[in-house]
Amino acid sequence: GAGVSQTPSNKVTEKGKYVELRCDPISGHTALYWYRQSLGQGPEFLIYFQGTGAADDSGLPNDRFFAVRPEGSVSTLKIQRTERGDSAVYLCASSLGEGFPPAKQYFGPGTRLTVT
Amino acid sequence: GQNIDQPTEMTATEGAIVQINCTYQTSGFNGLFWYQQHAGEAPTFLSYNVLDGLEEKGRFSSFLSRSKGYSYLLLKELQMKDSASYLCAVREGYSTLTFGKGTMLLVSP
């Protein structure tokens, strides 16, 4: 079946603009995660959805970042008033959900965001 | 807080065996994951350990010692395609992962 998909693959925007990044998880996966990865670093957790609700948004760096998942499937990460420091690859992952043993997280190809 | 340490870079030759170490200090522990990430691509799952001991999966094995806060990934019969970044990640709760910075492995002929 299809894996996690993310659009766009690349996004270049000017400082101060608003951007939306989209994630389509694997069908049937109830858990969805957003991470941000800078060059030479591991992925950094941003927010986690279980179904439609944000179960953990402790990784969002500030109130310019917001994410939604209104129908429990597709998710959109929204960044307002972008800054050059927001430039990174934004990764989305999905899994079957919480619990034990831990479910594997499957990652999408990412969206490379460049703020000029 | 959490702290996950891995070597930044390692080199090895084709056909050899390499061990990539990971140490962690986290407030909780609910599993340790290893991911492989080729340049410009998404991380892909390799293995996970929840209990102490060795998990073997083909050419890749992963070991965990919870009392020592230590894991390693063992790659045997190295191939050129194994050149990638290897990410160690700890699950503290029941969902999210905290990643280390990754170890860039370069396999040479």
Side-chain angles (χ1 to χ4, degrees), chain B residues 32-74:
Chain B
L32 188 140
F33 289 71
W34 285 96
Y35 279 80
Q36 179 191 59
Q37 186 175 29
H38 285 99
E41 298 183 11
T44 55
F45 171 83
L46 289 178
S47 70
Y48 82 86
N49 297 70
V50 178
L51 302 175
D52 290 352
L54 187 68
E55 293 283 340
E56 297 187 80
K57 192 183 289 186
R59 294 191 299 116
F60 291 51
S61 303
S62 58
F63 172 83
L64 175 67
S65 169
R66 289 172 295 170
S67 63
K68 296 181 180 177
Y70 168 70
S71 173
Y72 67 72
L73 180 70
L74 193 71

Side-chain angles (χ1 to χ4, degrees), chain A residues 47-109:
Chain A
I47 186 169
Y48 154 61
F49 287 90
Q50 179 59 40
T52 59
D56 183 352
D57 64 358
S58 61
L60 294 177
N62 51 60
D63 61 6
R64 295 187 297 105
F65 288 74
F66 188 71
V68 295
R69 194 186 186 199
E71 297 178 359
S73 178
V74 171
S75 175
T76 305
L77 179 65
K78 308 180 180 194
I79 310 174
Q80 298 177 321
R81 306 183 303 280
T82 51
E83 299 178 357
R84 291 194 179 89
D86 298 336
S87 297
V89 175
Y90 288 80
L91 293 166
C92 176
S94 71
S95 74
L96 283 172
E98 304 182 330
F100 188 91
K104 287 187 276 185
Q105 293 186 22
Y106 295 84
F107 283 82

Side-chain angles (χ1 to χ4, degrees), chain B residues 11-16 78-81 83 106-109:
Chain B
T11 58
T13 54
E14 208 172 3
L78 281 173
Q79 302 175 9
M80 298 294 290
K81 67 179 182 180
S83 292
L106 177 63
V107 180
S108 57

